[in-house]
Amino acid sequence: MVNQESKGLLVVYTGNGKGKTTAALGMVVRAVGYDWRVCIIQFVKGSWKYGELKGIKRLAPNVELHTVGEGFVGIVDDKKEFNQHQAAAKEGIEMARKIISGGEFPLVILDELSVALKLGLICDEDVVSLLDACPKSNHLVVTGRDAPSWLIERADLVTEMTEVKHPFQAGILAQKGIDW
Ligand code: ATP
Ligand code: MG
């Protein structure tokens, strides 16, 4: 049966192919078209690039972006303690909780939350309690590779980006305006 009432959706963009954050950005643009306020919380610092950061500024005051990540975890130049990364990710969850309970943002984007979960920076319970506390009318978008199966189960809309071809495979580096 078709229900015409508006319902907050839990949207998950996952998979190895390019386009997860891009898809979330597309929803941001659409929401701004209705003059909605949108909050983006970035769980892995650096996951949003110069181009979109500048673009989002042009969408102010409707759109705000908060970076809570402490940079890349466990790779070459990562000198931070794991617990610093965990504290930053927890801060992101708390920020999301406040933003959502404030009721001013019909659309909230939790960028790379699935990655924060996969890395063990936050635990399933942190996210479950956040989702449980989310009002029925609020839309939530979670991006990142390796979304856990329970999140996929719980979501209303899940799209898995599949890498069919990526210029990187042909030795073509990230392009301005396309990747950053
Ligand atoms: P985008 O931000 O372009 O939508 P994404 O959110 O799907 O990408 P992430 O896992 O967040 O992908 O990866 C971040 C960066 O890695 C982006 O700059 C993106 O261009 C690049 N990237 C994404 N998918 C691939 C891939 N399959 N091969 C190589 N690079 C990729
Ligand atoms: Mg991304």
Side-chain angles (χ1 to χ4, degrees), residues 42-44 68-74 78 80-95 113 115-124 126:
Q42 176 191 313
F43 280 81
V44 176
V68 294
E70 281 287 343
F72 295 104
V73 182
D78 179 19
K80 298 205 175 61
E81 296 288 338
F82 189 70
N83 60 17
Q84 280 181 271
H85 290 292
Q86 283 182 315
K90 289 237 189 257
E91 200 185 299
I93 293 287
E94 286 320 307
M95 184 183 288
L113 181 73
V115 173
L117 268 171
K118 172 81 176 176
L119 293 170
L121 300 182
I122 43 174
C123 54
D124 293 350
D126 294 326

PDB file of all heavy atoms in Angstrom, residues 42-44 68-74 78 80-95 113 115-124 126:
ATOM      1  N   GLN A  42      31.154  15.274   9.371  1.00  0.00           N
ATOM      2  CA  GLN A  42      32.190  14.526   8.666  1.00  0.00           C
ATOM      3  C   GLN A  42      33.012  13.744   9.685  1.00  0.00           C
ATOM      4  O   GLN A  42      33.697  14.335  10.523  1.00  0.00           O
ATOM      5  CB  GLN A  42      33.045  15.551   7.929  1.00  0.00           C
ATOM      6  CG  GLN A  42      34.233  15.034   7.212  1.00  0.00           C
ATOM      7  CD  GLN A  42      35.120  16.188   6.751  1.00  0.00           C
ATOM      8  OE1 GLN A  42      34.662  17.159   6.192  1.00  0.00           O
ATOM      9  NE2 GLN A  42      36.393  16.074   7.021  1.00  0.00           N
ATOM     10  N   PHE A  43      32.926  12.417   9.617  1.00  0.00           N
ATOM     11  CA  PHE A  43      33.583  11.590  10.639  1.00  0.00           C
ATOM     12  C   PHE A  43      35.043  11.287  10.338  1.00  0.00           C
ATOM     13  O   PHE A  43      35.770  10.849  11.232  1.00  0.00           O
ATOM     14  CB  PHE A  43      32.797  10.288  10.855  1.00  0.00           C
ATOM     15  CG  PHE A  43      31.608  10.496  11.744  1.00  0.00           C
ATOM     16  CD1 PHE A  43      30.423  11.011  11.233  1.00  0.00           C
ATOM     17  CD2 PHE A  43      31.677  10.235  13.108  1.00  0.00           C
ATOM     18  CE1 PHE A  43      29.331  11.253  12.059  1.00  0.00           C
ATOM     19  CE2 PHE A  43      30.595  10.468  13.936  1.00  0.00           C
ATOM     20  CZ  PHE A  43      29.427  10.980  13.419  1.00  0.00           C
ATOM     21  N   VAL A  44      35.448  11.435   9.099  1.00  0.00           N
ATOM     22  CA  VAL A  44      36.858  11.234   8.780  1.00  0.00           C
ATOM     23  C   VAL A  44      37.352  12.532   8.156  1.00  0.00           C
ATOM     24  O   VAL A  44      36.935  12.893   7.060  1.00  0.00           O
ATOM     25  CB  VAL A  44      37.068  10.040   7.816  1.00  0.00           C
ATOM     26  CG1 VAL A  44      38.532   9.922   7.425  1.00  0.00           C
ATOM     27  CG2 VAL A  44      36.593   8.754   8.463  1.00  0.00           C
ATOM     28  N   VAL A  68      34.543  16.333  12.617  1.00  0.00           N
ATOM     29  CA  VAL A  68      34.900  15.836  13.942  1.00  0.00           C
ATOM     30  C   VAL A  68      36.043  14.835  13.881  1.00  0.00           C
ATOM     31  O   VAL A  68      36.633  14.511  14.890  1.00  0.00           O
ATOM     32  CB  VAL A  68      33.692  15.204  14.671  1.00  0.00           C
ATOM     33  CG1 VAL A  68      32.651  16.253  14.970  1.00  0.00           C
ATOM     34  CG2 VAL A  68      33.101  14.060  13.875  1.00  0.00           C
ATOM     35  N   GLY A  69      36.350  14.351  12.672  1.00  0.00           N
ATOM     36  CA  GLY A  69      37.414  13.349  12.556  1.00  0.00           C
ATOM     37  C   GLY A  69      38.769  13.931  12.902  1.00  0.00           C
ATOM     38  O   GLY A  69      38.985  15.136  12.835  1.00  0.00           O
ATOM     39  N   GLU A  70      39.681  13.051  13.256  1.00  0.00           N
ATOM     40  CA  GLU A  70      41.044  13.468  13.616  1.00  0.00           C
ATOM     41  C   GLU A  70      42.022  13.103  12.509  1.00  0.00           C
ATOM     42  O   GLU A  70      43.181  12.826  12.762  1.00  0.00           O
ATOM     43  CB  GLU A  70      41.464  12.786  14.923  1.00  0.00           C
ATOM     44  CG  GLU A  70      40.900  13.444  16.168  1.00  0.00           C
ATOM     45  CD  GLU A  70      41.587  14.775  16.484  1.00  0.00           C
ATOM     46  OE1 GLU A  70      42.677  15.018  15.958  1.00  0.00           O
ATOM     47  OE2 GLU A  70      41.004  15.551  17.254  1.00  0.00           O
ATOM     48  N   GLY A  71      41.543  13.029  11.287  1.00  0.00           N
ATOM     49  CA  GLY A  71      42.436  12.662  10.191  1.00  0.00           C
ATOM     50  C   GLY A  71      42.418  11.168   9.949  1.00  0.00           C
ATOM     51  O   GLY A  71      41.669  10.436  10.584  1.00  0.00           O
ATOM     52  N   PHE A  72      43.240  10.715   9.030  1.00  0.00           N
ATOM     53  CA  PHE A  72      43.204   9.312   8.644  1.00  0.00           C
ATOM     54  C   PHE A  72      43.757   8.428   9.754  1.00  0.00           C
ATOM     55  O   PHE A  72      44.703   8.780  10.443  1.00  0.00           O
ATOM     56  CB  PHE A  72      43.958   9.112   7.333  1.00  0.00           C
ATOM     57  CG  PHE A  72      43.280   9.823   6.201  1.00  0.00           C
ATOM     58  CD1 PHE A  72      43.792  11.012   5.696  1.00  0.00           C
ATOM     59  CD2 PHE A  72      42.086   9.341   5.685  1.00  0.00           C
ATOM     60  CE1 PHE A  72      43.143  11.686   4.671  1.00  0.00           C
ATOM     61  CE2 PHE A  72      41.426  10.003   4.666  1.00  0.00           C
ATOM     62  CZ  PHE A  72      41.954  11.182   4.156  1.00  0.00           C
ATOM     63  N   VAL A  73      43.115   7.293   9.890  1.00  0.00           N
ATOM     64  CA  VAL A  73      43.448   6.398  11.001  1.00  0.00           C
ATOM     65  C   VAL A  73      44.370   5.283  10.527  1.00  0.00           C
ATOM     66  O   VAL A  73      44.074   4.600   9.550  1.00  0.00           O
ATOM     67  CB  VAL A  73      42.152   5.764  11.586  1.00  0.00           C
ATOM     68  CG1 VAL A  73      42.477   4.864  12.770  1.00  0.00           C
ATOM     69  CG2 VAL A  73      41.178   6.856  11.994  1.00  0.00           C
ATOM     70  N   GLY A  74      45.476   5.121  11.214  1.00  0.00           N
ATOM     71  CA  GLY A  74      46.344   3.958  10.997  1.00  0.00           C
ATOM     72  C   GLY A  74      47.159   3.958   9.717  1.00  0.00           C
ATOM     73  O   GLY A  74      47.715   2.943   9.348  1.00  0.00           O
ATOM     74  N   ASP A  78      49.815   8.911  10.398  1.00  0.00           N
ATOM     75  CA  ASP A  78      48.933   8.967  11.565  1.00  0.00           C
ATOM     76  C   ASP A  78      49.744   8.792  12.841  1.00  0.00           C
ATOM     77  O   ASP A  78      50.183   7.708  13.186  1.00  0.00           O
ATOM     78  CB  ASP A  78      47.866   7.868  11.465  1.00  0.00           C
ATOM     79  CG  ASP A  78      46.947   7.873  12.679  1.00  0.00           C
ATOM     80  OD1 ASP A  78      46.896   8.910  13.375  1.00  0.00           O
ATOM     81  OD2 ASP A  78      46.293   6.850  12.923  1.00  0.00           O
ATOM     82  N   LYS A  80      48.525   9.953  15.806  1.00  0.00           N
ATOM     83  CA  LYS A  80      47.616  10.111  16.939  1.00  0.00           C
ATOM     84  C   LYS A  80      47.301   8.764  17.588  1.00  0.00           C
ATOM     85  O   LYS A  80      47.321   7.729  16.947  1.00  0.00           O
ATOM     86  CB  LYS A  80      46.313  10.754  16.468  1.00  0.00           C
ATOM     87  CG  LYS A  80      46.521  12.138  15.906  1.00  0.00           C
ATOM     88  CD  LYS A  80      45.282  12.986  16.010  1.00  0.00           C
ATOM     89  CE  LYS A  80      45.560  14.386  15.550  1.00  0.00           C
ATOM     90  NZ  LYS A  80      45.996  14.426  14.130  1.00  0.00           N
ATOM     91  N   GLU A  81      47.015   8.834  18.855  1.00  0.00           N
ATOM     92  CA  GLU A  81      46.608   7.634  19.570  1.00  0.00           C
ATOM     93  C   GLU A  81      45.222   7.230  19.083  1.00  0.00           C
ATOM     94  O   GLU A  81      44.401   8.096  18.771  1.00  0.00           O
ATOM     95  CB  GLU A  81      46.518   7.936  21.076  1.00  0.00           C
ATOM     96  CG  GLU A  81      47.826   8.308  21.729  1.00  0.00           C
ATOM     97  CD  GLU A  81      48.763   7.123  21.867  1.00  0.00           C
ATOM     98  OE1 GLU A  81      48.269   5.974  21.851  1.00  0.00           O
ATOM     99  OE2 GLU A  81      49.972   7.353  21.971  1.00  0.00           O
ATOM    100  N   PHE A  82      44.985   5.936  19.083  1.00  0.00           N
ATOM    101  CA  PHE A  82      43.683   5.443  18.637  1.00  0.00           C
ATOM    102  C   PHE A  82      42.564   6.062  19.467  1.00  0.00           C
ATOM    103  O   PHE A  82      41.507   6.400  18.947  1.00  0.00           O
ATOM    104  CB  PHE A  82      43.660   3.910  18.745  1.00  0.00           C
ATOM    105  CG  PHE A  82      42.462   3.287  18.106  1.00  0.00           C
ATOM    106  CD1 PHE A  82      42.319   3.291  16.727  1.00  0.00           C
ATOM    107  CD2 PHE A  82      41.472   2.698  18.881  1.00  0.00           C
ATOM    108  CE1 PHE A  82      41.207   2.718  16.120  1.00  0.00           C
ATOM    109  CE2 PHE A  82      40.360   2.121  18.284  1.00  0.00           C
ATOM    110  CZ  PHE A  82      40.225   2.134  16.905  1.00  0.00           C
ATOM    111  N   ASN A  83      42.827   6.249  20.768  1.00  0.00           N
ATOM    112  CA  ASN A  83      41.749   6.797  21.609  1.00  0.00           C
ATOM    113  C   ASN A  83      41.414   8.250  21.283  1.00  0.00           C
ATOM    114  O   ASN A  83      40.316   8.712  21.553  1.00  0.00           O
ATOM    115  CB  ASN A  83      41.999   6.563  23.103  1.00  0.00           C
ATOM    116  CG  ASN A  83      43.265   7.188  23.599  1.00  0.00           C
ATOM    117  OD1 ASN A  83      43.823   8.064  22.934  1.00  0.00           O
ATOM    118  ND2 ASN A  83      43.729   6.754  24.762  1.00  0.00           N
ATOM    119  N   GLN A  84      42.364   8.964  20.652  1.00  0.00           N
ATOM    120  CA  GLN A  84      42.050  10.326  20.196  1.00  0.00           C
ATOM    121  C   GLN A  84      41.054  10.266  19.043  1.00  0.00           C
ATOM    122  O   GLN A  84      40.135  11.077  18.955  1.00  0.00           O
ATOM    123  CB  GLN A  84      43.315  11.046  19.720  1.00  0.00           C
ATOM    124  CG  GLN A  84      44.167  11.608  20.838  1.00  0.00           C
ATOM    125  CD  GLN A  84      45.380  12.317  20.255  1.00  0.00           C
ATOM    126  OE1 GLN A  84      46.417  11.701  20.046  1.00  0.00           O
ATOM    127  NE2 GLN A  84      45.248  13.588  19.979  1.00  0.00           N
ATOM    128  N   HIS A  85      41.263   9.279  18.165  1.00  0.00           N
ATOM    129  CA  HIS A  85      40.329   9.094  17.051  1.00  0.00           C
ATOM    130  C   HIS A  85      38.956   8.685  17.586  1.00  0.00           C
ATOM    131  O   HIS A  85      37.928   9.147  17.107  1.00  0.00           O
ATOM    132  CB  HIS A  85      40.837   8.000  16.103  1.00  0.00           C
ATOM    133  CG  HIS A  85      42.057   8.411  15.322  1.00  0.00           C
ATOM    134  ND1 HIS A  85      42.021   9.383  14.360  1.00  0.00           N
ATOM    135  CD2 HIS A  85      43.331   7.970  15.370  1.00  0.00           C
ATOM    136  CE1 HIS A  85      43.235   9.522  13.837  1.00  0.00           C
ATOM    137  NE2 HIS A  85      44.045   8.679  14.441  1.00  0.00           N
ATOM    138  N   GLN A  86      38.980   7.818  18.602  1.00  0.00           N
ATOM    139  CA  GLN A  86      37.706   7.371  19.180  1.00  0.00           C
ATOM    140  C   GLN A  86      36.956   8.532  19.820  1.00  0.00           C
ATOM    141  O   GLN A  86      35.747   8.680  19.642  1.00  0.00           O
ATOM    142  CB  GLN A  86      37.955   6.297  20.248  1.00  0.00           C
ATOM    143  CG  GLN A  86      38.267   4.947  19.658  1.00  0.00           C
ATOM    144  CD  GLN A  86      38.469   3.900  20.720  1.00  0.00           C
ATOM    145  OE1 GLN A  86      39.158   4.134  21.718  1.00  0.00           O
ATOM    146  NE2 GLN A  86      37.885   2.738  20.510  1.00  0.00           N
ATOM    147  N   ALA A  87      37.698   9.367  20.557  1.00  0.00           N
ATOM    148  CA  ALA A  87      37.067  10.503  21.239  1.00  0.00           C
ATOM    149  C   ALA A  87      36.445  11.446  20.211  1.00  0.00           C
ATOM    150  O   ALA A  87      35.327  11.944  20.401  1.00  0.00           O
ATOM    151  CB  ALA A  87      38.095  11.236  22.095  1.00  0.00           C
ATOM    152  N   ALA A  88      37.148  11.649  19.098  1.00  0.00           N
ATOM    153  CA  ALA A  88      36.641  12.550  18.054  1.00  0.00           C
ATOM    154  C   ALA A  88      35.359  11.987  17.444  1.00  0.00           C
ATOM    155  O   ALA A  88      34.387  12.719  17.219  1.00  0.00           O
ATOM    156  CB  ALA A  88      37.708  12.741  16.976  1.00  0.00           C
ATOM    157  N   ALA A  89      35.347  10.691  17.187  1.00  0.00           N
ATOM    158  CA  ALA A  89      34.165  10.077  16.576  1.00  0.00           C
ATOM    159  C   ALA A  89      32.973  10.117  17.539  1.00  0.00           C
ATOM    160  O   ALA A  89      31.837  10.379  17.133  1.00  0.00           O
ATOM    161  CB  ALA A  89      34.481   8.642  16.162  1.00  0.00           C
ATOM    162  N   LYS A  90      33.250   9.889  18.814  1.00  0.00           N
ATOM    163  CA  LYS A  90      32.176   9.949  19.830  1.00  0.00           C
ATOM    164  C   LYS A  90      31.592  11.353  19.891  1.00  0.00           C
ATOM    165  O   LYS A  90      30.378  11.537  20.065  1.00  0.00           O
ATOM    166  CB  LYS A  90      32.713   9.568  21.213  1.00  0.00           C
ATOM    167  CG  LYS A  90      33.039   8.114  21.348  1.00  0.00           C
ATOM    168  CD  LYS A  90      32.265   7.496  22.517  1.00  0.00           C
ATOM    169  CE  LYS A  90      32.742   6.091  22.811  1.00  0.00           C
ATOM    170  NZ  LYS A  90      31.907   5.032  22.352  1.00  0.00           N
ATOM    171  N   GLU A  91      32.473  12.312  19.764  1.00  0.00           N
ATOM    172  CA  GLU A  91      32.045  13.711  19.754  1.00  0.00           C
ATOM    173  C   GLU A  91      31.069  13.944  18.588  1.00  0.00           C
ATOM    174  O   GLU A  91      30.084  14.665  18.726  1.00  0.00           O
ATOM    175  CB  GLU A  91      33.295  14.574  19.555  1.00  0.00           C
ATOM    176  CG  GLU A  91      33.189  16.015  19.965  1.00  0.00           C
ATOM    177  CD  GLU A  91      34.483  16.719  19.578  1.00  0.00           C
ATOM    178  OE1 GLU A  91      35.553  16.319  20.085  1.00  0.00           O
ATOM    179  OE2 GLU A  91      34.420  17.626  18.743  1.00  0.00           O
ATOM    180  N   GLY A  92      31.372  13.308  17.472  1.00  0.00           N
ATOM    181  CA  GLY A  92      30.502  13.413  16.293  1.00  0.00           C
ATOM    182  C   GLY A  92      29.124  12.843  16.559  1.00  0.00           C
ATOM    183  O   GLY A  92      28.104  13.409  16.151  1.00  0.00           O
ATOM    184  N   ILE A  93      29.086  11.720  17.266  1.00  0.00           N
ATOM    185  CA  ILE A  93      27.794  11.092  17.604  1.00  0.00           C
ATOM    186  C   ILE A  93      26.999  12.018  18.523  1.00  0.00           C
ATOM    187  O   ILE A  93      25.800  12.231  18.341  1.00  0.00           O
ATOM    188  CB  ILE A  93      28.030   9.716  18.296  1.00  0.00           C
ATOM    189  CG1 ILE A  93      28.644   8.737  17.309  1.00  0.00           C
ATOM    190  CG2 ILE A  93      26.738   9.174  18.893  1.00  0.00           C
ATOM    191  CD1 ILE A  93      27.697   8.220  16.238  1.00  0.00           C
ATOM    192  N   GLU A  94      27.698  12.588  19.508  1.00  0.00           N
ATOM    193  CA  GLU A  94      27.010  13.496  20.438  1.00  0.00           C
ATOM    194  C   GLU A  94      26.501  14.740  19.715  1.00  0.00           C
ATOM    195  O   GLU A  94      25.397  15.217  19.978  1.00  0.00           O
ATOM    196  CB  GLU A  94      27.933  13.891  21.602  1.00  0.00           C
ATOM    197  CG  GLU A  94      28.150  12.787  22.614  1.00  0.00           C
ATOM    198  CD  GLU A  94      26.879  11.994  22.922  1.00  0.00           C
ATOM    199  OE1 GLU A  94      25.849  12.622  23.264  1.00  0.00           O
ATOM    200  OE2 GLU A  94      26.884  10.761  22.787  1.00  0.00           O
ATOM    201  N   MET A  95      27.323  15.239  18.782  1.00  0.00           N
ATOM    202  CA  MET A  95      26.901  16.400  17.999  1.00  0.00           C
ATOM    203  C   MET A  95      25.660  16.052  17.177  1.00  0.00           C
ATOM    204  O   MET A  95      24.689  16.818  17.138  1.00  0.00           O
ATOM    205  CB  MET A  95      28.041  16.835  17.077  1.00  0.00           C
ATOM    206  CG  MET A  95      27.733  18.094  16.305  1.00  0.00           C
ATOM    207  SD  MET A  95      29.068  18.488  15.185  1.00  0.00           S
ATOM    208  CE  MET A  95      30.301  19.028  16.322  1.00  0.00           C
ATOM    209  N   LEU A 113      30.400   7.684   8.365  1.00  0.00           N
ATOM    210  CA  LEU A 113      30.066   7.038   9.646  1.00  0.00           C
ATOM    211  C   LEU A 113      30.337   5.525   9.572  1.00  0.00           C
ATOM    212  O   LEU A 113      30.810   4.931  10.548  1.00  0.00           O
ATOM    213  CB  LEU A 113      28.588   7.288  10.006  1.00  0.00           C
ATOM    214  CG  LEU A 113      28.149   6.676  11.334  1.00  0.00           C
ATOM    215  CD1 LEU A 113      28.713   7.458  12.510  1.00  0.00           C
ATOM    216  CD2 LEU A 113      26.642   6.618  11.451  1.00  0.00           C
ATOM    217  N   VAL A 115      32.618   4.063   8.017  1.00  0.00           N
ATOM    218  CA  VAL A 115      34.061   3.839   8.154  1.00  0.00           C
ATOM    219  C   VAL A 115      34.464   3.938   9.628  1.00  0.00           C
ATOM    220  O   VAL A 115      35.246   3.132  10.125  1.00  0.00           O
ATOM    221  CB  VAL A 115      34.847   4.840   7.266  1.00  0.00           C
ATOM    222  CG1 VAL A 115      36.341   4.747   7.503  1.00  0.00           C
ATOM    223  CG2 VAL A 115      34.541   4.584   5.798  1.00  0.00           C
ATOM    224  N   ALA A 116      33.889   4.923  10.323  1.00  0.00           N
ATOM    225  CA  ALA A 116      34.174   5.063  11.761  1.00  0.00           C
ATOM    226  C   ALA A 116      33.741   3.801  12.515  1.00  0.00           C
ATOM    227  O   ALA A 116      34.432   3.340  13.436  1.00  0.00           O
ATOM    228  CB  ALA A 116      33.466   6.302  12.324  1.00  0.00           C
ATOM    229  N   LEU A 117      32.636   3.204  12.071  1.00  0.00           N
ATOM    230  CA  LEU A 117      32.163   1.958  12.704  1.00  0.00           C
ATOM    231  C   LEU A 117      33.121   0.809  12.397  1.00  0.00           C
ATOM    232  O   LEU A 117      33.507   0.050  13.286  1.00  0.00           O
ATOM    233  CB  LEU A 117      30.785   1.598  12.149  1.00  0.00           C
ATOM    234  CG  LEU A 117      29.559   2.112  12.893  1.00  0.00           C
ATOM    235  CD1 LEU A 117      28.304   1.840  12.064  1.00  0.00           C
ATOM    236  CD2 LEU A 117      29.421   1.496  14.270  1.00  0.00           C
ATOM    237  N   LYS A 118      33.492   0.718  11.121  1.00  0.00           N
ATOM    238  CA  LYS A 118      34.369  -0.363  10.663  1.00  0.00           C
ATOM    239  C   LYS A 118      35.716  -0.319  11.398  1.00  0.00           C
ATOM    240  O   LYS A 118      36.284  -1.350  11.754  1.00  0.00           O
ATOM    241  CB  LYS A 118      34.578  -0.208   9.147  1.00  0.00           C
ATOM    242  CG  LYS A 118      35.587  -1.109   8.527  1.00  0.00           C
ATOM    243  CD  LYS A 118      35.016  -2.478   8.249  1.00  0.00           C
ATOM    244  CE  LYS A 118      36.025  -3.347   7.524  1.00  0.00           C
ATOM    245  NZ  LYS A 118      35.521  -4.694   7.324  1.00  0.00           N
ATOM    246  N   LEU A 119      36.211   0.891  11.643  1.00  0.00           N
ATOM    247  CA  LEU A 119      37.505   1.052  12.311  1.00  0.00           C
ATOM    248  C   LEU A 119      37.405   0.849  13.828  1.00  0.00           C
ATOM    249  O   LEU A 119      38.413   0.847  14.517  1.00  0.00           O
ATOM    250  CB  LEU A 119      38.068   2.451  12.033  1.00  0.00           C
ATOM    251  CG  LEU A 119      38.481   2.750  10.586  1.00  0.00           C
ATOM    252  CD1 LEU A 119      38.788   4.224  10.422  1.00  0.00           C
ATOM    253  CD2 LEU A 119      39.694   1.908  10.191  1.00  0.00           C
ATOM    254  N   GLY A 120      36.185   0.743  14.318  1.00  0.00           N
ATOM    255  CA  GLY A 120      35.997   0.559  15.758  1.00  0.00           C
ATOM    256  C   GLY A 120      36.118   1.857  16.548  1.00  0.00           C
ATOM    257  O   GLY A 120      36.343   1.850  17.755  1.00  0.00           O
ATOM    258  N   LEU A 121      35.973   2.995  15.869  1.00  0.00           N
ATOM    259  CA  LEU A 121      36.061   4.281  16.570  1.00  0.00           C
ATOM    260  C   LEU A 121      34.802   4.515  17.402  1.00  0.00           C
ATOM    261  O   LEU A 121      34.837   5.204  18.421  1.00  0.00           O
ATOM    262  CB  LEU A 121      36.225   5.436  15.567  1.00  0.00           C
ATOM    263  CG  LEU A 121      37.458   5.378  14.670  1.00  0.00           C
ATOM    264  CD1 LEU A 121      37.520   6.587  13.769  1.00  0.00           C
ATOM    265  CD2 LEU A 121      38.726   5.283  15.515  1.00  0.00           C
ATOM    266  N   ILE A 122      33.707   3.972  16.907  1.00  0.00           N
ATOM    267  CA  ILE A 122      32.456   4.003  17.663  1.00  0.00           C
ATOM    268  C   ILE A 122      31.879   2.602  17.601  1.00  0.00           C
ATOM    269  O   ILE A 122      32.262   1.812  16.727  1.00  0.00           O
ATOM    270  CB  ILE A 122      31.437   5.010  17.050  1.00  0.00           C
ATOM    271  CG1 ILE A 122      31.416   4.896  15.532  1.00  0.00           C
ATOM    272  CG2 ILE A 122      31.706   6.429  17.493  1.00  0.00           C
ATOM    273  CD1 ILE A 122      30.354   5.729  14.896  1.00  0.00           C
ATOM    274  N   CYS A 123      30.984   2.288  18.536  1.00  0.00           N
ATOM    275  CA  CYS A 123      30.420   0.944  18.496  1.00  0.00           C
ATOM    276  C   CYS A 123      28.978   0.993  17.987  1.00  0.00           C
ATOM    277  O   CYS A 123      28.360   2.064  17.922  1.00  0.00           O
ATOM    278  CB  CYS A 123      30.543   0.259  19.851  1.00  0.00           C
ATOM    279  SG  CYS A 123      29.845   1.208  21.175  1.00  0.00           S
ATOM    280  N   ASP A 124      28.485  -0.169  17.614  1.00  0.00           N
ATOM    281  CA  ASP A 124      27.139  -0.282  17.053  1.00  0.00           C
ATOM    282  C   ASP A 124      26.112   0.399  17.961  1.00  0.00           C
ATOM    283  O   ASP A 124      25.217   1.103  17.492  1.00  0.00           O
ATOM    284  CB  ASP A 124      26.742  -1.756  16.889  1.00  0.00           C
ATOM    285  CG  ASP A 124      27.577  -2.464  15.829  1.00  0.00           C
ATOM    286  OD1 ASP A 124      28.327  -1.790  15.100  1.00  0.00           O
ATOM    287  OD2 ASP A 124      27.475  -3.707  15.748  1.00  0.00           O
ATOM    288  N   ASP A 126      26.359   2.908  19.917  1.00  0.00           N
ATOM    289  CA  ASP A 126      26.358   4.380  19.806  1.00  0.00           C
ATOM    290  C   ASP A 126      25.422   4.809  18.679  1.00  0.00           C
ATOM    291  O   ASP A 126      24.669   5.772  18.796  1.00  0.00           O
ATOM    292  CB  ASP A 126      27.768   4.908  19.465  1.00  0.00           C
ATOM    293  CG  ASP A 126      28.774   4.672  20.570  1.00  0.00           C
ATOM    294  OD1 ASP A 126      28.374   4.723  21.746  1.00  0.00           O
ATOM    295  OD2 ASP A 126      29.965   4.453  20.251  1.00  0.00           O
TER     296      ASP A 126
END
